Amino acid sequence: MAPRGFLALLIAALIAFLPGAAAADTLKVGLSTRAGPFDFAIAPAADQTLAVRAAYETLVRSTPGGGYRGGVAAGWSTSRDGLVWTFRLQPGRRFASGRPVDAAAVVFTLARLKAIGRGNASLLGDLVASAEPAGPNAVRLRLIHPSPALLALLSDRMTSIIDPSIANRIRGDRWGSQWLATRTAGSGRFQLQPGSQRGIHILTVQPHWRPLPGDPQAPAQGFDRLVYREIVDPTVRRLALEKGEIDIAFLLPSQEQKRLARTHRAVLHRAPILAFNNLAFNLRSTAVADVRLRRAIGHAIDVAGIIRYIRGGTALPFAGPVPPSMLGHGASRRFTHNPALALRLAAQARTPARPLRFIYPGVSPETDTIAQYIQAALKPLGLDVRIERLSVPAYLDRMARGSYDMVLQGAVIDFNDPSAIMNAWFEPSRAGISNPARYGNPRVTALIRQSEREMDPARRRQQIEQAARLTHADVPYIYLSQTVMTIAARKDIRGITIDPFDALNLPVNTMRRGS
């Protein structure tokens, strides 16, 4: 008589070959841009790291309603003065290497972010005085000052917990950035397979992952392999979806969405997200130094027309700088389309003695058309606008150097707190890619810094709204639109949701293929 264990294995093997039995499945995703580097602390744009989000977990996670729940942390507590936070870690979590996700790993991750100091990591570095173990499975953070944005910062993709064993894997690569540029070292369900051919990135389930308590189990028919393909051309990306070569296409422009909708071969999932388009003025350029000229430009641009006729309804008018989902939205404003007023203001303003240099990223036909429309809209004001279509690397380089008069800014906000916008767009120390207006107003800076320490919501709202009103008077930006995110997917893909506070993060753990 066969042993029970042998019979169980035999039965399981037979079931696996029966018709309708669950089988391994691959989710194929079409990316709109070149992927990498895969180090969250280095990559300047969220879509560069989209392919590896499923390989990582953060200490805290945002929820679609704007709250926070545990990620790697099971829970947390804070001192009465708000300066000391203690995070208890989930037991039994492991990195793909098998190493435990313990206090030492969290401390290493935070020290690494502070040392690198880019992007939102600089905000965290300015806030956290020290991070230390409070036992093997607890971490204590001591803050320089109380902060209402701490949980938001800790939910940002940049704070994904990193396996400390990557340090110095490559000689001289102390913090592992060179190693992480093409690899993953997280505790998420998936891990990146080594090597990438022709812009294809493959992830498979890592052996040590377990669902977090309270999360739905990954369904039996869920995906156990992810393939991300770089398909930069939007038409090719749409055709690949129609042919079944991919299951999901990210960031299709409105023209391609309309063509796809006519085929009835896909479903368009949509939701407003924290992604914005602005026209930014380089305030260090004498050509746009006259605030009356900047106001004239604001009144000359028909935002509703851009959204309706160019973006095909895939955006909402943006009254900035603070969106409706955030504290301090009450003072948000936008320019009305008023060509007559625009002409009067332009006549009063100092006319630039040379053509205006207007740069934008050549990422889609939509951005081309928006730039051309703005050029045409400003011509009646007597402005000679020279538009320059740039590759993304060249665009970022020009923004960093300040070599422009105006720039079409695309901004993705990484966490749900007004400091994510106010500190980026108006902080003089972040002039460049984050603050393309190169704006600085001492009163605004003081209010922003006060609001970053203010724990009373009512007082904080007043500070943010006062700062917003001051920036409106200075006109560093013309607020254009808030993006309505669209994920185009084959009809048999189930479980797609769009988190407005973490839009470029597919919920692959609970997605599945179904009829």
Side-chain angles (χ1 to χ4, degrees), residues 124-316:
L124 199 61
D126 292 342
L127 175 61
V128 178
S130 66
E132 58 193 21
N137 290 304
V139 176
R140 184 176 295 116
L141 304 186
R142 299 184 187 277
L143 307 187
I144 296 171
H145 58 78
S147 171
L150 178 65
L151 294 179
L153 281 166
L154 293 176
S155 71
D156 180 24
R157 63 189 170 86
M158 191 171 291
T159 61
S160 296
I161 307 303
I162 303 291
D163 186 341
S165 68
I166 64 164
N168 293 311
R169 289 268 188 100
I170 297 173
R171 187 175 180 180
D173 189 22
R174 180 183 177 189
W175 297 110
S177 289
Q178 186 178 347
W179 196 90
L180 279 177
T182 57
R183 304 172 181 88
T184 56
S187 58
R189 185 180 177 213
F190 292 88
Q191 61 181 334
L192 184 67
Q193 294 301 294
S196 173
Q197 296 181 349
R198 299 182 302 279
I200 298 175
H201 311 279
I202 299 172
L203 289 86
T204 55
V205 175
Q206 64 110 328
H208 304 287
W209 181 83
R210 298 292 181 273
L212 287 166
D215 273 1
Q217 297 281 330
Q221 65 269 49
F223 300 104
D224 56 9
R225 189 169 178 265
L226 310 177
V227 176
Y228 291 86
R229 289 178 51 193
E230 298 172 7
I231 311 176
V232 176
D233 186 290
T235 300
V236 176
R237 197 158 64 253
R238 186 255 305 169
L239 289 172
L241 184 66
E242 289 180 354
K243 295 174 183 177
E245 296 171 358
I246 58 175
D247 298 303
I248 289 175
F250 262 98
L251 303 179
L252 287 174
S254 60
Q255 300 94 324
E256 300 301 334
Q257 291 181 34
K258 290 176 181 176
R259 294 185 182 108
L260 188 61
R262 287 195 291 267
T263 69
H264 304 291
R265 294 178 181 174
V267 177
L268 300 177
H269 303 265
R270 291 186 170 124
I273 62 170
L274 298 181
F276 307 94
N277 286 115
N278 304 323
L279 178 66
F281 299 104
N282 182 353
L283 299 185
R284 297 180 188 175
S285 165
T286 56
V288 290
D290 193 323
V291 70
R292 293 169 297 184
L293 180 66
R294 301 198 296 272
R295 288 179 182 142
I297 291 171
H299 286 297
I301 296 172
D302 182 2
V303 172
I306 290 175
I307 291 172
R308 181 176 180 183
Y309 297 110
I310 302 177
R311 301 202 62 183
T314 61
L316 301 171

Side-chain angles (χ1 to χ4, degrees), residues 448-465:
I448 290 172
R449 291 177 182 171
Q450 288 172 24
S451 72
E452 290 172 349
R453 301 168 181 241
E454 182 56 67
M455 302 301 289
D456 180 87
R459 285 198 293 267
R460 190 176 189 226
R461 180 184 294 108
Q462 291 173 355
Q463 292 160 356
I464 295 167
E465 290 180 352

